[in-house]
Amino acid sequence: MTKLAPETFASQQKLTILDLSVNQLTELPKDLFRNTLILKDLFMSNNSIKDLHSNLFENTRQLKELHIEHNAIESVDESLFRNLQNLDTLLLENNRIGHIFTGTFDPLRSLMLLDLNNNGIMRIESGLFHLAENHLSGPLEGIFAPLEKLHTLTLNGNPLGQVTQGTFAGLKKLEDLNLKNAGLTDLSGTPFASLSELEKLDLSENRLASVDAEVTAGITKLKQIFINDNEIPISDLSGLLGLNQLDMITVANRSIAVPDTLLYNKTKLEQFYVQGSTFANLPASFFHSTFSLERLSISDNKQFVKLPKDFFQYVPYLKELVLLNNSLATLEPGVFDPLGLLRELDISENPLKSLPEGLFAHTVLLESLRIGNANLTTLPEGIFSKLYDLVALDLSNNQLRTLPQGIFDNLYSLQTLSLENNQFESLQPALFQRLEKLNTIMLGYNQFSELDSQLFAGLPLQALDISYNRFTAFNQSAMAFSKELLILALQGNELSSLTISSTLEKLYIDNNKLSSIDVVIVGQGEEFSHITTLSAVGNNFTSQEEFYKFMMLTELDASYNAFTELDLGKLVTEVVPLGVLNVSNSFVERIKIGGIIFPPSLVDLDISNNNLTTLDVRSLVSYENLQHFVFGGNAFNTTTIELQQNHISHLDSVLFEDNFNLEVIILDNNTISTLSPALLQNLTQLERFSIEYNQLQELNPQMFVNNTAIDRLWLTGNFLQRIVPGTFDT
């Protein structure tokens, strides 16, 4: 839908909800909503609307929600919202608004949510309001005063530099304030003192050296505070000491000084995340008041070397515990005993080397356990014997060579097991015999050269990763689990022979020595393979005919093989569902595009970095679903490339990288929205460039810096609103 007549809704007086989203509307008649007197919710997002008439909402006085995001609006008339006193939600993000006039939002006394994110606002006058990812600097004193009912204010991504108490004056009901990445270096002068209802505060990604009592003065109802990824060390968190209503604290920085009494009065705390702290230990009473704590993460603290046995005695309701990437060398028996309700535990990336046998004896409700990259060489025989509810176990990136027989026997609920990147050469055939729910096993990056055919017998195995081992041949159809398996990863072996079952759906065989794949038909009535995804990068395939047997294939990556000729028309005719095809870097000298009977399903095509000298791109018109086409890095002797009406939405930055002799490029009538400045950088002989009737919204000022020979440039029919001075200087 591209246009609406003024009388379209003239007879719809009882209309309360109207959704005009995701059309191609560019304008709206000023009388369009004249008779929709009781309209409450209006959705007009994802169109191309450029302007809103000042009288458009004159009669929609009952409107509560107004969504105009993702359009092309450049300005908002100061009287546009004059009759919308009942509006509580206004979304204007992702438009092109550059300036807002005084009084524009004053009538919106019921407004609770206003979003102007991702516009180009450079100026906002006194008495006005804005949101994130614009270009405003602080302190913006007094500009939010009219918005007395506002609940949420997002200022992230603006170079504010500073905020003061006057910045938030009048926001009596504000509950959520986002100041992430706002360039803040100092918060002196009690900036939030007037925000008595504030419950959530995000101060992440700034340059704060301290968050002291002056910073948090007045926000006694605060429930959640975020101080993540601060750019400098934080030496003072004393401002958090008096906030006794907090239920979430998250602090992440390369160096944080955590006060011993930080959690002293945090009786309502449910989540505590601290990353990058510098403490070597914490007092036994640190969690004394946090009886309600459910999620705890202490990570990336290289000074944290020991976990006292009584460390968790005051947090019996903990459900999630992360101790990732510290320097814990030992874990004492019984340290996790108080955590009888724990569901998730991650002790990865610590130099543990070994674990005590009864470490998990009392964490019987564990569902997820990660002990990856912990330098483990052995495991006690009964260490997992009480984990009946465990669903996922990660033992990857250790130095395990063998496993005790029966170590997994009681893991009745286990579904996912990762043993990758250890030193296994073989596994006992009965190792997994009691794991009746195990469906995913990762054994990559070990030293297997074969697997016992009965290794996973009786298991509902659906995904197996045995990549980067030492297999030279593999016959999936001979394995006991062949009928159930849906996903098989065999990358990085030395395979020259491969047989799979027809029931397999996804196959990854990159970096082997294969030139063919044998398929064994399994099941009565079956006639062909069920493979939908095949990645065969870096093998020895010389003919595309090897892939015709995979008639259900939707994605094929056959790059880095050795095809002299690619008959694309034949391939998409034989493999009808094929939507993604990559045959780059495969020595292709000739390509046939024609011969198709019906429009192919192909959406993404990459034939880059081959030895092609000619390409009849006009024949691609029949490939009406094609959106991404990459063909750079060939040796085309043509001076003209035409890709008109091919439904292309994206151009790879290296598309024309090696086509130095190109003189004419025509890309008209596609759906291209952006151009990389690197796209034309090597085309010094380019004389004509046409990209008419696409969806370009901007041009990078460096776009044509090397194209001094251009004498004809067509940009008609795009969404360009502004071109940076100097763009065409060359």
Side-chain angles (χ1 to χ4, degrees), residues 509-575:
I509 51 173
D510 301 346
N511 302 313
N512 281 284
K513 300 177 181 180
L514 293 165
S515 58
S516 63
I517 304 171
D518 294 324
V519 179
V520 174
I521 302 300
V522 177
Q524 193 172 12
E526 295 287 347
E527 297 180 0
F528 47 80
S529 169
H530 290 190
I531 290 282
T532 59
T533 299
L534 173 57
S535 184
V537 178
N539 280 278
N540 296 329
F541 291 99
T542 58
S543 171
Q544 67 186 36
E545 293 183 6
E546 185 60 31
F547 305 118
Y548 292 169
K549 68 185 72 171
F550 303 117
M551 300 173 63
M552 298 178 68
L553 200 61
T554 60
E555 299 180 35
L556 171 61
D557 190 345
S559 57
Y560 292 91
N561 280 280
F563 306 108
T564 302
E565 180 176 273
L566 173 64
D567 191 339
L568 184 61
K570 176 72 169 176
L571 181 59
V572 297
T573 300
E574 293 288 336
V575 187

Side-chain angles (χ1 to χ4, degrees), residues 296-447:
L296 170 63
S297 176
I298 303 174
S299 62
D300 300 307
N301 181 357
K302 291 304 182 181
Q303 297 184 42
F304 192 26
V305 298
K306 184 175 176 58
L307 203 59
K309 186 174 182 179
D310 55 359
F311 194 67
F312 302 110
Q313 62 179 322
Y314 298 115
V315 287
Y317 295 105
L318 207 62
K319 295 180 180 178
E320 179 182 320
L321 175 59
V322 176
L323 297 170
L324 178 70
N325 193 28
N326 295 295
S327 294
L328 300 173
T330 60
L331 293 174
E332 295 188 31
V335 67
F336 299 132
D337 285 1
L339 307 180
L341 298 179
L342 198 64
R343 302 282 182 169
E344 299 182 26
L345 174 61
D346 187 348
I347 51 176
S348 298
E349 298 181 39
N350 285 283
L352 294 170
K353 295 186 179 179
S354 63
L355 301 173
E357 182 174 347
L359 186 61
F360 309 117
H362 293 271
T363 55
V364 295
L365 296 182
L366 266 182
E367 296 175 357
S368 174
L369 175 58
R370 295 188 67 242
I371 325 176
N373 197 13
N375 292 337
L376 298 177
T377 57
T378 61
L379 289 172
E381 184 173 341
I383 191 168
F384 305 129
S385 61
K386 298 294 182 65
L387 302 184
Y388 311 119
D389 291 341
L390 196 67
V391 175
L393 175 60
D394 183 356
L395 294 168
S396 64
N397 301 294
N398 284 291
Q399 300 173 35
L400 299 169
R401 292 178 178 272
T402 61
L403 292 171
Q405 183 65 43
I407 191 171
F408 301 133
D409 279 2
N410 292 349
L411 302 183
Y412 305 119
S413 302
L414 195 67
Q415 297 179 24
T416 301
L417 174 63
S418 177
L419 295 172
E420 60 186 342
N421 200 17
N422 278 280
Q423 299 178 23
F424 295 112
E425 296 182 5
S426 63
L427 295 171
Q428 309 97 307
L431 186 64
F432 308 110
Q433 65 181 358
R434 301 180 66 177
L435 306 183
E436 298 179 354
K437 295 184 178 180
L438 188 63
N439 56 52
T440 301
I441 300 178
M442 287 161 277
L443 297 173
Y445 293 92
N446 280 284
Q447 300 177 38

Side-chain angles (χ1 to χ4, degrees), residues 60-79:
T60 58
R61 298 172 184 267
Q62 302 302 314
L63 207 59
K64 302 282 285 184
E65 288 195 26
L66 178 55
H67 296 248
I68 327 176
E69 68 270 26
H70 293 279
N71 278 282
I73 299 169
E74 296 179 353
S75 63
V76 178
D77 190 280
E78 57 193 292
S79 62

Side-chain angles (χ1 to χ4, degrees), residues 173-184:
K173 295 189 177 183
L174 193 68
E175 296 178 355
D176 187 342
L177 175 59
N178 190 333
L179 292 170
K180 182 179 179 180
N181 188 25
L184 300 176

Side-chain angles (χ1 to χ4, degrees), residues 448-449 470-474 493-498 512 514:
F448 296 106
S449 58
R470 298 178 178 179
F471 293 95
T472 57
F474 190 77
N493 284 281
E494 299 180 6
L495 292 172
S496 58
S497 172
L498 175 63
N512 281 284
L514 293 165

